[in-house]
Amino acid sequence: MSEFNPSPNDAPIKQPAEDRFGIDPFAQALASSIRKIKAPEGTVIALNGPWGSGKSSAVNLILHHLKDAVAADEIAIVNFACWWFRGEEALALAFFRELYAGLGPSLGDRFKKALPKIGAQLLRTGALVGAAADLAGYKGAGKAAEAGLAWLADLIHTEDTVEKLHAELTAALGAQKKRFLIVIDDIDRLSPDEALLIFRLVKSVGRLPNVIYLLVFDRELAEGIVSERFPSEGPHYLEKIIQAGFDLPLPQAADLNQELLRQIGTLCGSPPEEQLKRFMNVFYEVIAPEIRTPRDLIRLMNALAVTWAAVGSEVDLADFVALETLRLLRGEVYRVIRANKGELCGLAPRGTGDGRGRASEIDSLLLGSVKEIDRPRLRRVLMRLFPRLESVWNNLHYGEGSDSEWVRERRVCTKEHFGSYFRFSVGDDVLPREEIKSIIARASDAAFVQATLRAALSVARKDGTTKAQLLLDEMTIHAGDVADKDVGPLLTAVFELGDEVDVPGDRAKAFSVADNVLRTHWLLRRLTLERFDLATRSAIFVEACSKAGLAWLADFSSSAYRDYYPVNGRAPEPESNCLTTEADAVTLEALTLNRIRAASQSGELLKARRLARLLFDWRDLAKDDGAEVKAWTAEQFKNDAAIVTFARAFTTYSWSQGMGMSGLGDIVAKRHTRAGVDSLDKVLDLAAFRSRVEELDARNATDDDGAAIHEFLEAWRRRDKNPRD
């Protein structure tokens, strides 16, 4: 990627080699015409073009092509930068000073005083008295202004009429062998009164031999100013001043597009090969139609030079450039997009339910501020950026895999990445791409993977979850980038930390069901099911399970076993969906039982986060109607700390949300504490357990253990009164 330098103040080009929009052939032709004009007498040429179309660049190129004529003393250039001056007095004075500076040296002492005298005569009214005095060289301008116009009699003789002075100047200029080109650029930067003053001044002194004026402005804007001040004149006012007007040719769309693509590539780099087709679709549908002038292009690139550097590596290139284009050139559409994340990312479906009504509602919401003539294209713009809108406007639906692909590409249409496009930074809900690339590149490095996961567990996010949740999600999204040879080592490392990453903070709240155990299941399936045959992936999983955490081993082996021996009347899974071979599934069940038994003796079982689940797994795997697990739990009842552990393990939570009347239901859900004692008699003596819980609660302990016992017992008592509670 080459270095990109923002263009300061939309700086115009100066050399033909810099021309990328086909301006130079026009400039060369106009320069040739100026050079060939014979005996010009106050010829006024207008160069017209809208704001940002490249008029100043065209002027620079015209002057470039006149360099030989200047060097040969055929033409002298007087460049009047009118927009440097503010106020009619300063502008008028500067105009005559520039004429004097440009024309005077060629006139000789006899005639060069004619020009300031003409200026003094023309400026001898109203607020311009001071300017006239200054121009004429009068040293007492302040006193002269106080005395009215009487002072002019001392400087300009009565016979020095404008006509006489003009005739003297005409004679002097007519004798010149060279011509003078007076360039007045950026007239459209002036206020209306200042712009009109320029036209009046040119009209007053314009008809001078060997003098050519090149006036550069936006014709539509200038005609509007004239029509406002002189309603009866309109465009005819300018026609009386200007002999030849030329419209600056607009850049060819192909040239603008080519230069825009070149500069985007220089600044942002090229999109990945697999995303190139979509990038070009977005470019031609969203970006290119808004870039109509070189200044539009420069504005966009100057903005990207700042914003892309801040967040570019974390967003989709096509989406980001498209939104920056809309921000600069379609502000009303950009603001609507920014304010409607829910509708655009599919988070807040609402409406009539009638397809046509829904389309109308969305149309009004997103395009209500847009002119009707622009709506068809802007609908396509929005659908390019937010494909879900196609289901509203085109009745087109995307498959289940589309959303995960959009997330992987970090598209603006995803709730995970939407915010990055508008705050120009990555929040704690997004993992930087470099971190993802790093873990993918080192997927076979078990120590690195585990260190990364452990570090992520220590990072708390604003919503109370840990970064580990985000890391597992991103690994799943980018699972396809992991090399085949690295899948086994990666899964072994993740399985070993299976229990450690199963933190309560990452378990879903309210009505969601996701937790890090489920996220690990999603990851392993994305890594293996579509990549390896059954025997290969089964071998990978058996190896990974050899080092797996206890609770994770029980969970995984149960999933593998249920593929072949489902419950509740379900049919076995087809081989393509099975995690392991049937033989390996049976082997893993036996391994799990042995691990549970060993953990019960070492004390590991009592510390397990999924203790309740493991007790029931023990019963099912032992196939002894619970005799083994009940004997173990009975032994634990002797220990107060074990009773507290059981109470915490059997305390569960649920969420409810009232629907209300007339749609005025609860906005937030309420948490309910429950005693998970259903079927508990299958793994322990329920009466003995209740007795021990009540015994500990009666001590009224105020520490965390006492609070846990009391919370569990209160929930159990509520259940006694209402089994559904």
Side-chain angles (χ1 to χ4, degrees):
M1 192 187 309
S2 303
E3 182 179 359
F4 176 86
N5 295 313
S7 300
N9 302 318
D10 297 347
I13 64 173
K14 297 179 180 180
Q15 302 291 331
E18 301 174 81
D19 177 30
R20 300 184 185 278
F21 306 118
I23 298 175
D24 188 58
F26 168 82
Q28 192 170 2
L30 190 53
S32 177
S33 297
I34 290 171
R35 191 170 183 176
K36 292 177 182 178
I37 293 176
K38 295 181 179 179
E41 186 174 350
T43 300
V44 180
I45 299 172
L47 179 57
N48 306 310
W51 189 85
S53 59
K55 299 187 297 296
S56 296
S57 293
V59 169
N60 286 343
L61 294 175
I62 290 169
L63 299 183
H64 172 84
H65 291 298
L66 290 173
K67 279 185 176 179
D68 290 346
V70 172
D73 206 28
E74 295 176 14
I75 293 179
I77 307 294
V78 179
N79 212 330
F80 179 38
C82 60
W83 65 278
W84 285 7
F85 307 96
R86 281 293 173 260
E88 293 178 71
E89 178 177 335
L91 189 61
L93 178 59
F95 175 78
F96 281 106
R97 277 179 168 169
E98 289 295 329
L99 285 183
Y100 182 80
L103 304 182
S106 300
L107 298 179
D109 293 338
R110 179 179 175 184
F111 299 108
K112 67 180 181 181
K113 291 183 179 179
L115 186 60
K117 288 183 177 182
I118 291 175
Q121 288 279 21
L122 293 174
L123 301 177
R124 58 187 292 183
T125 58
L128 300 180
V129 168
D134 182 56
L135 178 68
Y138 186 66
K139 303 302 182 184
K143 294 181 179 179
E146 294 174 4
L149 302 179
W151 62 277
L152 287 173
D154 297 331
L155 296 173
I156 305 175
H157 300 294
T158 54
E159 67 270 17
D160 288 338
T161 63
V162 172
E163 289 78 10
K164 180 181 177 182
L165 293 168
H166 197 281
E168 291 180 0
L169 189 57
T170 296
L173 287 170
Q176 294 293 311
K177 292 184 178 180
K178 68 176 171 183
R179 286 162 289 164
F180 300 88
L181 176 64
I182 301 169
V183 180
I184 308 180
D185 193 3
D186 291 319
I187 297 174
D188 41 15
R189 289 195 185 190
L190 302 175
S191 71
D193 288 335
E194 291 167 348
L196 282 173
L197 176 63
I198 291 294
F199 292 129
R200 292 203 308 270
L201 291 172
V202 171
K203 182 179 180 182
S204 299
V205 297
R207 296 191 65 80
L208 293 170
N210 287 319
V211 173
I212 304 169
Y213 288 90
L214 179 61
L215 306 184
V216 187
F217 57 90
D218 182 337
R219 181 176 60 189
E220 185 176 336
L221 182 62
E223 289 178 352
I225 292 171
V226 171
S227 296
E228 181 182 342
R229 296 293 192 272
F230 308 110
S232 61
E233 291 279 351
H236 302 298
Y237 182 91
L238 295 178
E239 291 174 2
K240 295 175 182 177
I241 301 172
I242 297 166
Q243 281 74 59
F246 298 92
D247 290 326
L248 182 68
L250 292 175
Q252 294 290 325
D255 292 337
L256 271 175
N257 292 345
Q258 182 177 357
E259 176 62 11
L260 181 55
L261 286 169
R262 186 190 70 81
Q263 293 204 28
I264 290 173
T266 298
L267 176 63
C268 308
S270 301
E273 183 66 28
E274 66 273 13
Q275 296 179 24
L276 182 59
K277 179 179 178 181
R278 179 176 179 271
F279 174 85
M280 296 308 298
N281 284 336
V282 172
F283 179 83
Y284 283 112
E285 190 94 75
V286 185
I287 302 166
E290 300 295 343
I291 306 300
R292 298 182 175 91
T293 69
R295 183 163 284 146
D296 291 339
L297 189 155
I298 291 170
R299 285 184 65 201
L300 174 60
M301 296 312 302
N302 284 348
L304 284 173
V306 177
T307 56
W308 179 260
V311 75
S313 62
E314 310 301 339
V315 293
D316 176 77
L317 175 61
D319 285 358
F320 189 80
V321 177
L323 283 167
E324 281 296 272
T325 302
L326 295 176
R327 182 173 69 86
L328 293 171
L329 303 171
R330 286 279 184 179
E332 75 282 11
V333 176
Y334 176 85
R335 288 188 290 272
V336 167
I337 291 173
R338 184 177 58 188
N340 287 280
K341 174 181 178 180
E343 290 290 352
L344 295 169
C345 297
L347 301 180
R350 68 173 192 227
T352 62
D354 170 28
R356 187 173 301 175
R358 176 67 169 154
S360 176
E361 179 188 12
I362 292 294
D363 204 68
S364 177
L365 173 69
L366 301 179
L367 299 174
S369 62
V370 174
K371 294 179 181 178
E372 187 64 38
I373 193 172
D374 293 333
R375 288 191 180 188
R377 190 183 73 80
L378 289 173
R379 283 192 198 97
R380 296 194 300 274
V381 164
L382 291 173
M383 286 188 287
R384 284 288 183 194
L385 299 177
F386 301 96
R388 291 183 184 88
L389 289 176
E390 292 194 72
S391 66
V392 178
W393 284 325
N394 286 351
N395 204 25
L396 177 65
H397 297 274
Y398 286 84
E400 292 182 1
S402 299
D403 187 68
S404 61
E405 184 66 15
W406 298 336
V407 173
R408 191 182 72 81
E409 294 173 356
R410 304 193 159 213
R411 299 261 297 272
V412 69
C413 62
T414 61
K415 60 182 176 60
E416 293 86 350
H417 298 286
F418 182 89
S420 299
Y421 288 83
F422 300 95
R423 61 176 175 248
F424 303 122
S425 64
V426 175
D428 71 351
D429 55 344
V430 175
L431 195 67
R433 266 196 175 127
E434 286 305 312
E435 290 191 35
I436 300 169
K437 290 179 180 178
S438 179
I439 200 166
I440 295 299
R442 300 180 64 179
S444 62
D445 184 342
F448 173 77
V449 171
Q450 292 182 349
T452 301
L453 277 168
R454 286 193 173 106
L457 286 168
S458 67
V459 178
R461 299 161 68 205
K462 288 183 290 187
D463 62 359
T465 62
T466 76
K467 186 179 175 181
Q469 169 186 323
L470 185 61
L471 182 58
L472 288 170
D473 284 341
E474 290 285 4
M475 289 169 65
T476 301
I477 291 167
H478 295 273
D481 297 330
V482 177
D484 288 0
K485 65 180 179 59
D486 293 341
V487 171
L490 174 61
L491 287 175
T492 298
V494 172
F495 276 33
E496 188 172 355
L497 261 62
D499 292 358
E500 198 171 330
V501 300
D502 180 24
V503 291
D506 287 347
R507 294 174 189 167
K509 310 299 188 294
F511 303 105
S512 181
V513 295
D515 56 27
N516 287 347
V517 172
L518 273 176
R519 291 184 180 92
T520 305
H521 273 289
W522 296 334
L523 172 61
L524 67 88
R525 282 168 168 76
R526 285 291 299 273
L527 283 168
T528 62
L529 286 186
E530 295 183 5
R531 189 190 304 226
F532 303 116
D533 59 33
L534 179 59
T536 302
R537 63 176 178 262
S538 185
I540 289 173
F541 288 133
V542 169
E543 174 63 26
C545 285
S546 66
K547 296 183 178 181
L550 175 61
W552 170 249
L553 172 63
D555 193 276
F556 177 83
S557 64
S558 176
S559 294
Y561 189 79
R562 295 303 172 199
D563 285 344
Y564 296 98
Y565 304 102
V567 295
N568 300 324
R570 295 178 58 187
E573 291 289 337
E575 182 179 286
S576 59
N577 292 344
C578 291
L579 295 172
T580 69
T581 63
E582 184 174 2
D584 283 343
V586 173
T587 298
L588 289 176
E589 287 278 270
L591 174 64
T592 303
L593 178 58
N594 290 333
R595 284 283 307 279
I596 290 175
R597 285 170 173 163
S600 70
Q601 298 303 311
S602 67
E604 178 189 355
L605 181 58
L606 200 59
K607 299 175 184 177
R609 285 193 174 127
R610 301 272 178 170
L611 175 59
R613 163 73 185 273
L614 287 169
L615 294 179
F616 284 94
D617 285 342
W618 189 355
R619 179 186 185 278
D620 293 340
L621 292 169
K623 296 181 173 55
D624 61 354
D625 201 28
E628 194 173 336
V629 67
K630 285 181 180 180
W632 180 81
T633 53
E635 185 65 24
Q636 306 310 308
F637 287 173
K638 300 174 184 178
N639 187 333
D640 289 351
I643 299 300
V644 174
T645 299
F646 286 143
R648 286 195 170 104
F650 303 137
T651 300
T652 62
Y653 302 96
S654 64
W655 301 81
S656 66
Q657 189 170 3
M659 299 304 293
M661 301 295 291
S662 302
L664 295 178
D666 296 330
I667 296 176
V668 297
K670 180 181 179 181
R671 192 181 81 160
H672 297 275
T673 303
R674 299 182 184 277
V677 296
D678 289 344
S679 304
L680 203 56
D681 57 346
K682 294 181 178 180
V683 295
L684 53 74
D685 184 329
L686 196 57
F689 179 51
R690 175 71 174 256
S691 176
R692 288 288 281 130
V693 170
E694 290 175 341
E695 176 189 337
L696 293 185
D697 185 60
R699 298 175 186 174
N700 293 319
T702 58
D703 57 7
D704 290 344
D705 288 349
I709 286 288
H710 186 72
E711 180 184 42
F712 174 65
L713 183 58
E714 285 297 301
W716 199 344
R717 287 167 176 165
R718 288 195 302 271
R719 187 184 177 283
D720 290 341
K721 296 177 181 178
N722 180 7
R724 291 202 261 179
D725 192 336

